[in-house]
């Protein structure tokens, strides 16, 4: 079964947390200075230079997982690596952002909020590409630039990097228009990243309510607590077939995995272990791309007080999981006004409109009661419900 990545930006967020804490293992920090970067943030959204200040400005970070057969420098992944991932060859896969999470960091620090966006949310794509699934925003921007560069005679890793940056800009603009948030930073993790990062930390503990066996993803796990890494971690976060609520259960899994991974990454067992820390930084350098101008050392200082308990997880409200579309098959039906109102309420701000939102956690219950895709009421006032990750997940 060839692998189709769906949720590995969860560990991409954990890798950002690594950047925030490994600043105190100063012998390792310089190795993070040459991370791959891309010019993807508009000047109006760029944060002012910290000039040595440790004050944390309010910011929104878009985290994406890329279905890419190239590394952060645009070079093709070795076939032996693709074989380990059951990922076919360099011609397989696609160039979608199959996971999208917006991390909101409030001014002054404090509790951060990670907001998941289902990959099949049917939205207006920035740049005049029409209405499609949100995970294709990156694809449309990337492919247009790739075609342009090819016509100009640009090839190889440089073409890959420039096309990827164009795709990122389209994805960022689409998320901004959809959520009403300004994206100040961007971090992407590629195909091999999730695999290597999960191995580098020595595995991540998870817990399942029931045993699962899914031939599509390869997931084959018993019920209860267990520690997973590498291929198993990929199988755990990519499964959606056979789960009661499909993509929503898959998102709950990524959030649970992320919460657990953050605890592992921020724990002394990782940071105080030279081998684990070295492997983790190697994985970050190989797999992660940041926006150009992101000062890693300053971010490290600013995030020093963040703990694994300082993260809240939420999912945008959805109206239906089976919206029929003209060209993109079944998609997730969402209302941008409801999403923006939900996000504003979740972050403690005044909603920009009177439109209301239904928390995503209520969608499954509505579907179970009615036997059909649920809809939302325009009079519903969101209560900023978040994901409870205290127990096992489906």
């Amino acid at each position: 079964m060839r692998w189709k990545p769906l949720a590995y930006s969860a560990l991409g967020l954990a890798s950002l947390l690594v950047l925030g804490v490994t600043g105190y293992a100063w012998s390792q920090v310089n190795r993070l200075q040459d991370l791959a970067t891309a010019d993807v943030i508009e000047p109006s959204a760029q944060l002012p230079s910290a000039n040595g200040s440790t004050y944390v400005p309010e910011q929104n970070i878009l985290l994406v997982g890329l279905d890419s057969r190239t590394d952060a420098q645009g070079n093709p992944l070795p076939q032996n690596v693709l074989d380990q991932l059951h990922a076919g060859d360099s011609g397989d896969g696609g160039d979608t952002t199959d996971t999208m999470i917006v991390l909101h960091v409030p001014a002054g620090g404090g509790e951060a909020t990670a907001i998941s966006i289902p990959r099949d949310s049917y939205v207006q794509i920035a740049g005049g590409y029409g209405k499609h699934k949100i995970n294709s925003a990156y694809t449309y921007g990337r492919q247009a630039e790739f075609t342009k560069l090819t016509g100009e005679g640009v090839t190889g890793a440089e073409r890959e990097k420039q096309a990827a940056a164009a795709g990122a800009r389209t994805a960022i603009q689409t998320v901004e228009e959809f959520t009403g948030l300004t994206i100040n930073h961007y971090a992407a993790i590629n195909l091999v990243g999730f695999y290597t990062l999960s191995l580098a930390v020595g595995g991540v503990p998870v817990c399942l309510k029931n045993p699962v066996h899914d031939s599509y993803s390869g997931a084959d796990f018993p019920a209860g607590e267990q520690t997973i890494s590498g291929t198993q971690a990929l199988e755990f976060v990519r499964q959606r077939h056979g789960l009661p609520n499909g993509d929503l259960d898959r998102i709950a899994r990524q959030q649970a995995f992320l919460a657990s991974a953050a605890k592992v990454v921020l724990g002394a067992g990782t940071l105080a272990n030279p081998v684990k820390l070295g492997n983790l930084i190697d994985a970050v350098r190989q797999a992660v791309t940041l926006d150009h101008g992101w000062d890693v050392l300053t971010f490290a200082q600013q995030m020093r007080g963040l703990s694994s308990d300082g993260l809240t997880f939420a999912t945008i409200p959805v109206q239906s999981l089976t919206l029929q579309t003209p060209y993109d098959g079944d998609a997730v039906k969402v209302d941008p006004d409801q999403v923006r109102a939900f996000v504003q309420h979740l972050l403690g701000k005044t909603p920009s409109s009177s439109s209301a939102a239904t928390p995503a956690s209520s969608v499954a219950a509505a579907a179970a009661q009615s036997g059909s895709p649920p809809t939302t009421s325009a009079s519903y006032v969101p209560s900023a419900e978040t994901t409870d990750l205290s127990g096992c997940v489906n």
Side-chain angles (χ1 to χ4, degrees):
M1 176 65 64
R2 289 180 174 176
W3 183 66
K4 179 78 170 175
L6 299 172
Y8 43 90
S9 68
L11 203 51
L13 176 51
S15 73
L16 285 182
L17 299 180
V18 172
L19 302 184
V21 293
T22 55
Y24 308 99
W26 294 108
S27 63
Q28 300 281 5
V29 168
N30 287 335
R31 298 177 59 205
L32 296 175
Q33 297 275 31
D34 60 349
L35 286 172
T37 63
D39 184 11
V40 297
I41 302 297
E42 292 295 327
S44 60
Q46 294 175 3
L47 297 174
S49 174
N51 291 323
S53 171
T54 58
Y55 176 76
V56 182
E58 180 177 8
Q59 56 196 284
N60 299 302
I61 304 168
L62 178 61
L63 307 161
V64 302
L66 296 176
D67 181 4
S68 171
R69 267 63 176 173
T70 60
D71 63 17
Q73 288 72 41
N75 301 305
L77 295 176
Q79 186 59 50
N80 66 317
V81 173
L82 294 174
D83 290 342
Q84 291 180 54
L85 302 180
H86 307 290
D89 57 36
S90 59
D92 291 313
D95 48 22
T96 55
T97 53
D98 275 337
T99 297
M100 306 182 86
I101 298 174
V102 178
L103 176 66
H104 175 80
V105 180
E111 186 174 271
T113 303
I115 306 171
S116 294
I117 302 174
R119 63 171 193 149
D120 290 344
S121 300
Y122 198 61
V123 304
Q124 195 72 33
I125 305 298
Y129 293 107
K131 202 166 185 180
H132 300 282
K133 295 177 181 179
I134 197 167
N135 70 337
S136 68
Y138 180 94
T139 308
Y140 282 104
R142 180 192 178 281
Q143 188 56 48
E145 184 68 9
F146 188 91
T147 300
K148 173 177 171 291
L149 292 169
T150 300
E152 295 173 352
V154 181
T155 61
E158 185 60 30
R159 178 175 59 181
E160 293 290 340
K161 289 170 60 177
Q162 291 189 38
R169 287 190 287 268
T170 303
I172 289 169
Q173 293 167 14
T174 300
V175 169
E176 287 182 328
E177 294 172 7
F178 179 53
T179 64
L181 296 173
T182 298
I183 300 301
N184 310 108
H185 282 307
Y186 169 84
I189 183 169
N190 63 22
L191 176 68
V192 74
F194 186 89
Y195 179 88
T196 55
L197 284 165
S198 64
L199 286 173
V201 300
V204 175
V206 297
C207 183
L208 286 174
K209 292 180 180 178
N210 302 295
V212 296
H213 178 73
D214 175 42
S215 60
Y216 291 94
S217 64
D220 189 2
F221 302 106
E225 298 179 358
Q226 52 208 290
T227 298
I228 59 176
S229 64
T231 301
Q232 280 192 323
L234 297 175
E235 294 166 350
F236 178 84
V237 297
R238 72 179 281 248
Q239 183 185 2
R240 66 182 175 122
H241 295 281
L243 299 180
N245 305 304
D247 282 342
L248 294 184
D249 281 337
R250 179 173 54 190
I251 286 176
R253 280 199 187 183
Q254 8 173 327
Q255 292 173 342
F257 187 94
L258 171 55
S260 184
K263 290 181 180 180
V264 172
V265 169
L266 294 171
T270 298
L271 300 180
N273 185 315
V275 175
K276 283 188 177 181
L277 182 57
N279 290 340
L280 192 53
I281 293 178
D282 284 340
V284 169
R285 294 176 68 226
Q286 180 186 22
V288 174
T289 299
L290 304 180
D291 64 90
H292 181 70
W294 194 341
D295 186 338
V296 174
L297 297 184
T298 297
F299 184 76
Q301 293 174 317
Q302 292 174 341
M303 301 300 284
R304 67 181 302 172
L306 182 64
S307 70
S308 59
D309 296 325
L311 288 170
T312 296
F313 300 86
T315 305
I316 65 164
V318 305
Q319 295 184 315
S320 169
L321 302 178
T322 56
L323 173 68
Q324 295 185 354
T325 67
Y327 307 107
D328 300 333
D330 283 355
V332 173
K333 183 180 181 181
V334 290
D335 184 320
D337 289 335
Q338 291 180 332
V339 169
R340 286 189 285 269
F342 176 79
V343 168
Q344 292 291 305
H345 192 80
L346 178 67
L347 302 182
K349 303 177 184 294
T350 302
S352 58
S353 71
S354 59
S355 299
T358 297
S361 58
S362 68
V363 174
Q369 293 175 3
S370 66
S372 60
T375 58
T376 58
S377 168
S379 62
Y380 183 86
V381 177
S383 58
E385 292 185 24
T386 54
T387 305
D388 180 9
L389 300 176
S390 59
C392 298
V393 295
N394 284 324

